[in-house]
Amino acid sequence: MKIPTTIRKILALARKESRDILQNRIYILVVLVQVFIIMGAVGLVAVASVASDPALLDEIGVTSAINIGLPQSLNGSSLSQYLEEQKLTLNYYNSTDQAKTELGEKLVAVVDLSPTGDVLLNVDTSNVFYSVVSTKINEAADKYNNNKSLKDAGLNETQVNTILNPVNFEIVKVNQDKQVPLALDSPYFVEVIYGFIVPFILLLPFFLASNIVTDSVVGEKERKTFEVLLMTPLSSYMVIIGKIIPILLFSLIQSLAWILVLNLLRVPIYNPVLLIVVLFFMGLAFIGVGILISMLVDSTKEANSAITLVLVFATFILFIPLFVKSEIFQGGFNFIPTVLMVKLAVSPRIQPEIMLYLLPTLILSFLIFVGTVRSFRHERAIRL
């Protein structure tokens, strides 16, 4: 089948732009850096989730390595029993002062009783497990205080146990064959990964490409080839399309690769096709802005400074709604592309209004594209 002349001309320009991009060593380095960013981001969230979740620490057996110091007088007491129930390792010393000498080295915390029977806690706040240890010791102290109050009220051991443990709660898991293969079963992990890391990672190729794409026009000016480009037998629309296609295609391929990487890291991403559609229009806007800026300035340095300011502003607009919980603004936030990406990524079920939420992004991308073409046409008219 014979390819129309117009398409052949666009493809020829696109191939030329592709070669320029692939010969740019910085761009190749940027792609490799993204892999380390993804691994590091997921890893840091996983570590933070485990370090802040007592249940996860118990599950992987980390809390058994957390050492707590107590005076020998508490050995066998109800307080020590409650601390053992928290799966903490107890170390007994002749005195509290002796235990404190190892606080911050071997011990994370030292527990004692005051003369009035109150639980005293000394904890090393520089330890990464400080918050978890505090939570566990507070739970043990609450049980101890309740136990003491009930016994002081004249109740026997059986009555105390009945009040403190009124219900035996057991979780029965069903449909485990349909369970989502998530890396960590942690609310914090899910919230941070899907609420920030996933949209950030998928948009990362377009953020980084926006700086690279500025070279597509301003680079031509610096190399004194811009006038040659203006004299080519291509319409302004054809030139802009030819310049946008390569970087947009490379960025979409990267985002698709990062979706596969996230799935391998057990962060399942649903509705990848619709996500790519959203990314296509967002990428069209980012790259269009990059080309538009590069036509308004005369040097790569100016273009990179301008696009950096645009990206800072775009980051604020795109990511702040992910952290703001407001019923007043929620209706408007639904139209923010990153919020839409989160909704698509977390569930296989697609809401009917999804395409409506995409409409502002589509319109904005189209307007930026038209504005870029008009600016290029104006530049062409002045120079020729």
Side-chain angles (χ1 to χ4, degrees), residues 285-324:
F286 278 122
I287 295 168
V289 168
I291 294 178
L292 182 61
I293 288 174
S294 66
M295 284 189 293
L296 299 176
V297 299
D298 296 317
S299 69
T300 303
K301 184 177 180 180
E302 290 178 353
N304 288 334
S305 298
I307 195 66
T308 299
L309 291 175
V310 171
L311 290 177
V312 169
F313 178 75
T315 301
F316 179 83
I317 296 297
L318 291 173
F319 288 99
I320 288 299
L322 297 176
F323 300 96
V324 176

